[in-house]
Structure formats: structure tokens, C-alpha cells
Amino acid sequence: MGKGDKKSKKGKIVKGTYGNSRPRQATKRKVAEKKEAAAK
């Protein structure tokens, strides 16, 4: 569970890959949720 772990989110960020633990639309989705929460 660290930078060398290919299956963890942190490991995928370090390697620059995507998968179940790091979906491709993760950043955009979080930003959209924050804006919706702020609007309400």
C-alpha cells in the first residue's frame, strides 16, 4: 500500500495509469460535486 503498489490509487498516480481504484473522470466529478454542494 504505497507508491510501488500498482493496485492502489497512490501507486496508479505515481505510475500514471488508470483503473478501478483510479477512474479517469475522478477529478472532474469531484469538482462538479463541490460546485453543486456550494450552490445549495
Side-chain angles (χ1 to χ4, degrees):
M1 299 284 281
K3 290 178 183 176
D5 185 9
K6 293 181 221 169
K7 289 195 174 189
S8 71
K9 189 173 184 179
K10 192 177 275 185
K12 288 192 184 294
I13 291 166
V14 169
K15 268 210 121 179
T17 56
Y18 295 90
N20 286 333
S21 57
R22 187 189 178 217
R24 286 187 185 273
Q25 297 296 319
T27 51
K28 288 182 183 177
R29 199 178 296 144
K30 285 183 182 177
V31 172
E33 283 175 2
K34 285 182 183 176
K35 286 182 182 176
E36 286 175 26
K40 292 178 185 176

